[in-house]
Amino acid sequence: MNQKADYAIYNLFPAKGVEYLPGVNFYRHWKKREDYAEPVLIYQPLGNIWVAIEWAALRLGILTLAKMISIAEGHHLSRPPVITEAIKQLGTRYSPEFICFPYKVILGYLLFAGRRFEKLRGQSLYPLFLSHEGPLCRERAYGRLQESKLSELYQQEFQKQDFDFYIAKESLAGLLELIALFQKISGKSFLAVVSIINAAIKRLDIVEKFEDEVRHSQSLGVDFRAAEKILEEMKEAIVQDEISPSRVLKQAQEKLGKLHKPRSEAKVIYITGEIFHIEEAGSCSGDVLREIARRGFYPKKRVGLGHYTPRFQLTISRFARFILAYYGIPVRHKMKE
């Protein structure tokens, strides 16, 4: 029996008294907290991922650090703090010199976010850090290293280790574990959680599509700030969900289409490089794609967040293949898990 499949099924239909297993993340604090404390979700805001997470968290009844900050500061938009140079330097300070840059950025952000949480926390709240691991060399062990280092730093700074750390895995087994976590926290059914996650990813994909349209329009010479404002307003509307996402997209496209375009043909520039630097967290000098568009070029992306989102969607056929494989029934895999 596949070990990952065992973990996933065990989480889908959990037995009572399940213990936390190091490196597996079986909800270390959630089961036995006598004070009924609620988790506050903390994650690194790579690209537009915050749109999907904030929308889903609101519907799952899960408090996020971004929402916590918006309440404290008296504004309605739940948008997490951005990754800054100070955050990158913070991660570099506490990371081994030989480890690659993306690890340092994420560690710095998680520590920064933990500090923000500690300033705002209440007696009934505790932080739930969300990280991930994937098949690429740089992602395979990041989550576990971050968990270990964050535990050490929490002990040094706050004299306690009262936090949970969950690693989302880029596989179907990992997705089922993540669904089980959200079930436990929200109290919603399996199907309800799946529906919310899939809908959140749809909204993320819509934002990514429209952002590409904005970058193309900016390369045609439209007012850069006006186009950027339309993009940011569109993101806010998608997260708030006051109207359907397709209608939000249509309204944003109509506004963008009214901007004067001095040029009829875009000057396309293709970028090659490590995806984390170019797409997920920007470069050391800021957001590469936005800066290229500001200079009148169209930064054409071949890989972005859309490369990852299918791994966190659950369709009927995908779930059926998993169940058949779990019971030893041969199936043809259309997607590499």
Side-chain angles (χ1 to χ4, degrees):
M1 188 71 69
N2 182 285
Q3 191 178 38
K4 285 188 176 180
D6 280 343
Y7 290 152
I9 291 293
Y10 200 47
N11 273 296
L12 252 178
F13 312 104
K16 292 183 178 180
V18 178
E19 296 294 335
Y20 170 79
L21 303 179
V24 179
N25 298 97
F26 273 1
Y27 328 127
R28 174 169 28 178
H29 297 301
W30 176 250
K31 300 173 302 306
K32 296 184 177 180
R33 296 189 67 90
E34 297 178 357
D35 56 3
Y36 299 99
E38 296 291 335
V40 175
L41 188 62
I42 298 175
Y43 59 92
Q44 59 270 23
L46 305 178
N48 293 311
I49 192 68
W50 67 275
V51 171
I53 293 179
E54 292 299 326
W55 186 90
L58 185 61
R59 276 122 199 106
L60 289 168
I62 300 174
L63 182 63
T64 65
L65 177 62
K67 184 65 176 179
M68 201 173 171
I69 293 173
S70 72
I71 294 172
E73 296 180 352
H75 55 82
H76 72 281
L77 180 60
S78 300
R79 185 166 189 167
V82 299
I83 296 173
T84 63
E85 287 300 313
I87 288 173
K88 296 172 185 176
Q89 293 171 10
L90 180 64
T92 301
R93 176 184 175 187
Y94 290 107
S95 300
E97 182 178 352
F98 57 82
I99 201 165
C100 54
F101 184 69
Y103 170 87
K104 298 175 183 179
V105 175
I106 296 176
L107 178 65
Y109 190 87
L110 293 179
L111 179 57
F112 159 81
R115 290 173 175 176
R116 287 293 301 269
F117 171 82
E118 292 298 332
K119 291 181 180 180
L120 297 172
R121 76 177 298 162
Q123 292 296 323
S124 61
L125 302 174
Y126 73 96
L128 167 59
F129 293 95
L130 178 65
S131 189
H132 79 286
E133 66 179 30
L136 300 177
C137 62
R138 69 172 172 84
E139 296 175 325
R140 194 166 294 154
Y142 274 12
R144 299 163 200 239
L145 292 173
Q146 291 157 6
E147 179 182 16
S148 176
K149 189 62 179 179
L150 202 61
S151 179
E152 175 188 326
L153 294 174
Y154 245 69
Q155 184 64 34
Q156 292 174 4
E157 291 203 20
F158 309 114
Q159 289 76 52
K160 56 188 173 184
Q161 296 177 317
D162 186 23
F163 70 86
D164 206 350
F165 196 101
Y166 188 83
I167 302 172
K169 307 171 186 68
E170 291 182 12
S171 66
L172 183 51
L175 172 59
L176 293 175
E177 290 179 13
L178 185 65
I179 292 170
L181 171 66
F182 289 150
Q183 280 185 267
K184 286 177 179 290
I185 296 175
S186 68
K188 294 185 179 295
S189 68
F190 175 81
L191 291 178
V193 173
V194 169
S195 176
I196 289 171
I197 291 177
N198 287 346
I201 290 175
K202 178 182 178 182
R203 281 161 174 75
L204 173 60
D205 290 340
I206 288 175
V207 168
E208 290 281 293
K209 176 180 181 294
F210 183 65
E211 183 167 11
D212 183 66
E213 294 179 21
V214 169
R215 301 293 171 238
H216 180 266
S217 295
Q218 288 170 333
S219 73
L220 297 178
V222 303
D223 185 322
F224 182 89
R225 292 186 178 180
E228 203 68 18
K229 182 180 179 182
I230 292 171
L231 174 60
E232 295 306 313
E233 289 176 347
M234 184 266 194
K235 292 179 184 179
E236 293 184 22
I238 284 284
V239 173
Q240 296 301 318
D241 197 28
E242 294 176 354
I243 56 178
S244 69
S246 58
R247 188 177 173 190
V248 170
L249 176 61
K250 182 178 179 181
Q251 290 179 350
Q253 288 173 328
E254 289 175 352
K255 290 180 181 179
L256 186 64
K258 293 178 181 179
L259 297 181
H260 174 62
K261 300 179 177 63
R263 294 188 293 272
S264 60
E265 186 174 346
K267 296 180 289 185
V268 181
I269 182 169
Y270 290 90
I271 312 169
T272 181
E274 211 279 335
I275 184 175
F276 193 94
H277 293 274
I278 293 175
E279 166 63 14
E280 294 181 5
S283 71
C284 292
S285 60
D287 188 323
V288 175
L289 301 179
R290 185 181 289 109
E291 182 60 29
I292 289 174
R294 189 190 301 275
R295 299 188 183 200
F297 294 93
Y298 174 34
K300 186 65 177 175
K301 295 191 301 182
R302 292 297 189 190
V303 178
L305 286 173
H307 177 72
Y308 297 96
T309 52
R311 305 174 195 181
F312 293 95
Q313 287 178 306
L314 186 60
T315 61
I316 294 176
S317 61
R318 194 179 181 200
F319 183 60
R321 289 199 306 272
F322 177 83
I323 295 297
L324 292 174
Y326 177 78
Y327 286 107
I329 301 173
V331 292
R332 290 185 177 181
H333 291 279
K334 295 182 180 180
M335 180 183 296
K336 184 178 180 181
E337 299 298 355

